[in-house]
Amino acid sequence: MIAELRQYTLHPGQRDTLVSLFEREFLTTQADAGMPVLGRFLDLGDADRFVWLRGFPDMERRKQSLTSFYDGPVWRANRDAANATMIDSDDVLLLRHVDGTYDFDGGTYALMVYSFDAVDDALVGAVRDAVQPLVLLRTEEVENNYPRLPVRQGEHVIVAITREPREL
């Protein structure tokens, strides 16, 4: 599975507005387009950040799903309101699911992004052993096939989701 980690910087005081719009208009419609939202996270240290993950079976389906959603009526009807809450929506990483399940029960979770010069299977295993994540992802090193939405390229990360922050 491919995942997008999207980290938005919002205008001051706009997070609740975006979260409400997101939950009301975008959760179901993204899932219907073939890209379920895998998790939503509030940055407890920054009230003007919204972080979320959405998933795709593969890169070709990613392109199809994004095209369907962003050319569709729900996004057209709500994009101006959503975009008005944001300063930056281009902080996006493409990731590959390593293991774990996205079965969050509404509790508090930590999403940690660990950056490295390179990522290999041994490093992924070491991070897994060190932080014991519920979900583990790593950089998917492919070209962005939907250029309407920028993706950060050339970065090597491992993303871990746990019940509480864990240091390496």
Side-chain angles (χ1 to χ4, degrees), residues 123-163:
L123 183 57
V124 170
V127 170
R128 179 189 299 115
D129 292 345
V131 301
Q132 300 176 332
L134 302 168
V135 175
L136 190 65
L137 304 112
R138 68 184 281 179
T139 302
E140 177 68 349
E141 297 184 22
V142 296
E143 186 175 331
N144 178 12
N145 65 351
Y146 192 78
R148 282 172 56 186
L149 295 181
V151 171
R152 290 174 19 209
Q153 298 283 306
E155 298 187 35
H156 308 283
V157 303
I158 297 174
V159 174
I161 301 173
T162 62
R163 281 279 186 191

Side-chain angles (χ1 to χ4, degrees), residues 7-168:
Q7 301 180 77
Y8 294 167
T9 302
L10 307 176
H11 291 288
Q14 290 298 301
R15 184 166 69 185
D16 289 346
T17 301
L18 179 60
V19 168
S20 177
L21 177 64
F22 190 89
E23 290 175 349
R24 186 178 65 249
E25 300 294 342
F26 301 146
L27 286 177
T28 301
T29 52
Q30 288 188 85
D32 290 347
M35 50 185 187
V37 173
L38 305 173
R40 295 168 285 148
F41 306 89
L42 304 179
D43 186 328
L44 299 180
D46 186 348
D48 299 322
R49 297 272 295 166
F50 178 58
V51 178
W52 60 290
L53 283 165
R54 66 179 163 197
F56 310 87
D58 55 45
M59 289 299 292
E60 184 56 36
R61 287 292 308 273
R62 175 180 179 266
K63 182 178 179 181
Q64 293 167 1
S65 295
L66 290 171
T67 300
S68 174
F69 178 76
Y70 287 107
D71 289 345
V74 173
W75 177 248
R76 275 196 305 270
N78 293 284
R79 71 179 167 214
D80 291 342
N83 289 333
T85 67
M86 299 177 209
I87 295 170
D88 178 29
S89 62
D90 293 346
D91 187 350
V92 179
L93 291 169
L94 281 177
L95 306 169
R96 179 171 17 118
H97 180 85
V98 175
D99 59 28
T101 60
Y102 302 91
D103 188 22
F104 305 123
D105 63 8
T108 301
Y109 297 87
L111 184 144
M112 294 149 303
V113 179
Y114 303 105
S115 295
F116 301 97
D117 291 334
V119 173
D120 60 21
D121 291 342
L123 183 57
V124 170
V127 170
R128 179 189 299 115
D129 292 345
V131 301
Q132 300 176 332
L134 302 168
V135 175
L136 190 65
L137 304 112
R138 68 184 281 179
T139 302
E140 177 68 349
E141 297 184 22
V142 296
E143 186 175 331
N144 178 12
N145 65 351
Y146 192 78
R148 282 172 56 186
L149 295 181
V151 171
R152 290 174 19 209
Q153 298 283 306
E155 298 187 35
H156 308 283
V157 303
I158 297 174
V159 174
I161 301 173
T162 62
R163 281 279 186 191
E164 57 193 43
R166 299 202 178 132
E167 306 242 350
L168 282 179

